[in-house]
Every structure is written in C-alpha cells, then in structure tokens.
Amino acid sequence: EVQLQASGGGLVQAGGSLRLSCAASGFTFDDYDIGWFRQAPGKEREGVSCISDSSTYYTDTVKGRFTISSDSAKNTVYLQMNSLKPEDTAVYYCAAVQFSPSKGESDLLRSDGMDYWGKGTQVTVSS
C-alpha cells in the first residue's frame, strides 16, 4: 500500500523557517517523482516544488526561498522553507507519481499529474 506522510508544519512568524518531511512507503522510492503542493483557504491547490531524479522544480513564488531534497536511505523528501511569508500559509501535501522521462516541470507541478497523495500538514505564517 502506497503511503505518504507529511509532517513538520506549524506556526511561524514571517521571515522564519520550517522544514517539511514526506515519508514514503509502499513503492520503490527511486522510481517515483515526489512533489509538494499547497492549498490555502478558498484557493485551488497549487504545485510548490517537485523532485524528479536529480532535477528540482519550483513555482515562481517560492524560488530562492524553498529547497526540495530527498534522502533515498530514509525514503523521505524534504522541503526547506525559508523567509516565509503570510501568503505561504496553507495546508501542504506531498504527492507521488511514477517517473517518466517525458514529464517536465509543467506536468509535475500540476495536481492532476500526481497519482498518490498523503494527508496534509498545516503551515501558518503570521505577520
């Protein structure tokens, strides 16, 4: 059974940092791309970042502030979030899709491009 468990959310002041973790199980970790998505109240879910093999992708609003990384030994993907802003407040989800060389950034940052989803973790940034 595929499982994705996101953790690490919390309440932080603007300018602060958080590190989210996504622990994966039930599939061959290195065969999958894993992404982070977020959904703020009243807004659609949006792609934040994705790691695919050695490539990393970010939506424009987090470039230079967020860093995605993976640890194959722990089957875990991390999202280091620095210089947080109130507009980063959302529920953050991790998701996975089997690697395909034909998929690029635009595919991997779309919610409908993912096959498996974990439960979210709340990130709240106060001003």
Side-chain angles (χ1 to χ4, degrees):
E1 178 187 5
V2 172
Q3 290 191 336
L4 298 166
Q5 182 64 52
S7 62
L11 173 63
V12 64
Q13 288 188 332
S17 299
L18 284 173
R19 188 178 79 157
L20 305 184
S21 298
C22 175
S25 62
F27 59 90
T28 303
F29 185 77
D30 290 340
D31 290 346
Y32 280 74
D33 301 330
I34 295 184
W36 286 97
F37 295 77
R38 65 186 180 187
Q39 188 165 21
K43 295 188 176 181
E44 292 186 356
R45 189 173 298 187
E46 66 167 342
V48 176
S49 181
C50 185
I51 187 163
S52 172
D53 196 10
S54 60
S55 297
T56 57
Y57 306 106
Y58 302 91
T59 191
D60 287 345
T61 55
V62 308
K63 285 180 180 176
R65 300 188 298 123
F66 291 11
T67 303
I68 192 170
S69 61
S70 68
D71 185 338
S72 295
K74 296 182 178 180
N75 284 5
T76 299
V77 171
Y78 303 97
L79 185 68
Q80 178 67 42
M81 305 187 296
N82 298 329
S83 302
L84 282 161
K85 304 176 181 180
E87 50 264 44
D88 294 319
T89 295
V91 177
Y92 283 70
Y93 302 86
C94 60
V97 65
Q98 193 163 12
F99 170 80
S100 169
S102 64
K103 291 186 179 179
E105 179 176 9
S106 60
D107 302 299
L108 296 174
L109 292 181
R110 287 175 48 177
S111 297
D112 61 4
M114 295 289 154
D115 291 333
Y116 302 104
W117 291 84
K119 294 182 180 180
T121 184
Q122 176 71 48
V123 171
T124 303
V125 184
S126 63
S127 58

